[in-house]
Amino acid sequence: MTTLSVIIPTFNEVTTLEKTLKALGNRHETLIVDGGSTDGTESTIHGRCSFIQHPTKGRAAQMNCGAALAQGDVFLFLHADTLIPKATIDNLLTSLDSNPEMLGGACYRFFDSRSPFLRATCHLANIRSKYFGIFLGDQGMFVRRETFQLLNGFDPTLPYGEDLDFSIRMNRIGKTIAVKPPVLSSARRFENRGIIRQTMSDLHLARQILRRHR
């Protein structure tokens, strides 16, 4: 039976991590890789998972660190503010068990927001995931251990966009899959910066990453 390791990079996530871990449950190995939080993030885990203090902040490096220590056959990289249903984890493991040619993938995603604009962007993102196999980190990306190692993990030289970069590289060497039910990801970065402004910033970053792969 395929085993799963959940890897969660954190930095000052005391207000979000508790809900994420509660939704996740304790059925699978979970590693929190922290980038130097000063808000008491560690106090929220209550011994439910491993807490690893990484020497520097950087999501790619933190996730690579977690993967190096994880014991599972499959790595699930989950943002600290993303809630994943237990049924989604069951479906992704079943999909990988049933389809050995599948290298990994991600979950469908919706935001915890009533914004019609954000709902529309989520529908478009879900179409992108289903038909093009291109994913973002807040979707809960997962990958087989051997594939992650083959791709040398996330690119730590990228301050942002490491998720999209990894997704493109994984998709180029084999098949990927998008699974349901969708995860629920926080819309706080859109609310804090402004929905349109943050969306335009995301699109600009995506263009930069895509340009690397032409």
Side-chain angles (χ1 to χ4, degrees):
M1 182 177 179
T2 301
T3 57
L4 180 73
S5 293
V6 183
I7 299 163
I8 305 176
T10 58
F11 181 74
N12 289 341
E13 294 290 357
V14 71
T15 61
T16 63
L17 188 57
E18 178 74 29
K19 290 182 180 179
T20 299
L21 292 176
K22 184 176 180 180
L24 182 62
N26 57 5
R27 297 183 300 161
H28 308 284
E29 178 189 40
T30 302
L31 300 92
I32 309 297
V33 187
D34 190 72
S37 294
T38 57
D39 66 343
T41 292
E42 184 176 3
S43 66
T44 65
I45 69 174
H46 304 302
R48 292 173 294 190
C49 50
S50 299
F51 186 87
I52 301 146
Q53 189 66 65
H54 195 266
T56 58
K57 176 188 174 185
R59 185 174 283 161
Q62 289 173 239
M63 292 189 291
N64 286 344
C65 174
L69 298 171
Q71 300 298 310
D73 304 313
V74 174
F75 302 149
L76 168 61
F77 298 97
L78 192 66
H79 284 190
D81 60 0
T82 298
L83 309 182
I84 185 168
K86 293 181 176 63
T88 307
I89 294 179
D90 291 339
N91 288 342
L92 77 85
L93 289 174
T94 299
S95 297
L96 293 178
D97 281 337
S98 304
N99 301 278
E101 76 279 8
M102 291 291 180
L103 304 182
C107 313
Y108 288 88
R109 178 212 62 202
F110 286 106
F111 288 120
D112 60 352
S113 170
R114 295 183 178 181
S115 164
F117 182 84
L118 287 182
R119 283 201 293 268
T121 63
C122 284
H123 284 295
L124 291 174
N126 291 338
I127 291 171
R128 178 201 69 218
S129 299
K130 180 177 181 179
Y131 293 105
F132 299 100
I134 302 299
F135 314 112
L136 298 178
D138 59 5
Q139 293 180 243
M141 292 175 59
F142 55 90
V143 58
R144 296 186 191 273
R145 170 189 289 273
E146 59 268 23
T147 301
F148 186 83
Q149 294 172 343
L150 177 65
L151 293 171
N152 295 316
F154 295 98
D155 185 347
T157 67
L158 292 174
Y160 303 101
E162 77 291 329
D163 46 4
L164 178 58
D165 172 76
F166 184 85
S167 170
I168 293 170
R169 289 189 284 125
M170 177 169 62
N171 188 57
R172 283 184 172 175
I173 65 171
K175 295 182 179 180
T176 58
I177 190 171
V179 298
K180 300 177 181 179
V183 299
L184 184 67
S185 188
S186 173
R188 58 181 175 164
R189 62 193 181 97
F190 294 93
E191 295 168 348
N192 292 340
R193 193 177 182 190
I195 291 176
I196 301 300
R197 185 180 180 187
Q198 183 62 56
T199 300
M200 295 305 296
S201 177
D202 289 348
L203 289 174
H204 176 68
L205 175 61
R207 284 196 296 268
Q208 290 181 314
I209 298 298
L210 290 169
R211 197 174 294 126
R212 285 167 54 102
H213 292 279
R214 287 180 179 173

